[in-house]
């Protein structure tokens, strides 16, 4: 394994259910990491397991643009149904957050004919070249990985944890 792959916890997981992880030593741990906050439905949800089993039993991969299939359309329809607004909606599905952000920028550039991208201070957008450029925090995401994609500008955003503007509701936070 390459040294660049950082590991946060010395816990090796063998099984997980709901919010509980079981490690190789048999310890049960509450999973506050939740797949870095993306497993909001919990681990091994029976409906997810059933749909994954059905899918891999039918076929594992075709590439939708080579040979399309209904599951892709079902996800797009679900996104249109579940996201706010009654306007016309269209989706394209990607493999990762960084790939989605990169494609959002491509689509916006093609649609507007404009090149510049505005990303907020403190934002994290991914580990590809353009998303590193859009990411604000240098360490550990950017240092020594440049040069980065051009035409990325930064806009200020709210950061109550540092500014202290939320001090009334979060008294423990320092105003520094
Ligand atoms: C706001 C945001 N954008 C983009 C990404 C990148 O996603 P991925 O790691 O799937 O490429 C993340 C990942 O944590 C994220 O939190």
């Amino acid at each position: 394994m390459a040294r660049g792959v950082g590991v946060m916890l010395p816990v090796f997981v063998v099984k997980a259910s709901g919010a509980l992880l079981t490690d190789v030593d048999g310890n049960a741990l509450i999973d506050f990491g939740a797949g870095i906050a993306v497993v909001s439905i919990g681990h091994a949800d029976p409906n997810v397991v059933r749909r994954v089993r059905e899918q891999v039993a039918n076929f594992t991969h075709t590439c939708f643009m080579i040979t399309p299939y209904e599951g892709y359309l079902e996800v797009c329809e679900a996104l249109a149904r579940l996201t706010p607004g009654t306007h016309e909606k269209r989706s394209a599905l990607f493999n990762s957050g960084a790939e989605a952000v990169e494609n959002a920028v491509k689509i916006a550039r093609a649609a507007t004919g404009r090149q510049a991208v505005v990303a907020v201070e403190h934002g994290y957008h991914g580990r590809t070249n353009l998303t590193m450029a859009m990411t604000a925090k240098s360490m550990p995401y950017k240092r020594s990985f440049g040069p980065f994609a051009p035409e990325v500008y930064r806009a200020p955003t709210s950061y109550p944890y540092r500014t202290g503007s939320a001090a009334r509701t979060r008294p423990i936070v320092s105003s520094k």
Side-chain angles (χ1 to χ4, degrees), residues 35-38 95-101 123-128 131 135 141:
I36 198 154
V38 296
N95 298 308
S96 70
E99 200 188 350
V101 172
Y124 173 78
H125 298 283
R127 294 161 195 270
T128 59
T131 59
T135 292
Y141 304 117

Side-chain angles (χ1 to χ4, degrees), residues 42-129:
H43 294 283
D45 176 84
N47 289 324
V48 174
V49 171
R50 180 176 50 78
R51 288 301 293 261
V52 171
R53 281 210 173 107
E54 285 168 9
Q55 180 58 54
V56 294
N58 289 336
F59 62 94
T60 49
H61 177 62
T62 65
C63 181
F64 186 81
M65 284 161 286
I66 305 298
T67 315
Y69 46 89
E70 285 184 349
Y72 193 109
L73 303 182
E74 286 170 15
V75 172
C76 293
E77 284 167 358
L79 287 171
R81 200 170 54 245
L82 295 169
T83 51
T86 52
H87 54 281
E88 184 186 356
K89 300 174 192 171
R90 290 171 184 266
S91 296
L93 308 181
F94 301 102
N95 298 308
S96 70
E99 200 188 350
V101 172
E102 293 247 358
N103 278 282
V105 171
K106 282 161 59 181
I107 291 164
R109 283 179 172 162
T112 63
R114 296 156 79 176
Q115 295 179 348
V117 177
V118 178
V120 292
E121 282 172 357
H122 315 294
Y124 173 78
H125 298 283
R127 294 161 195 270
T128 59
N129 187 272

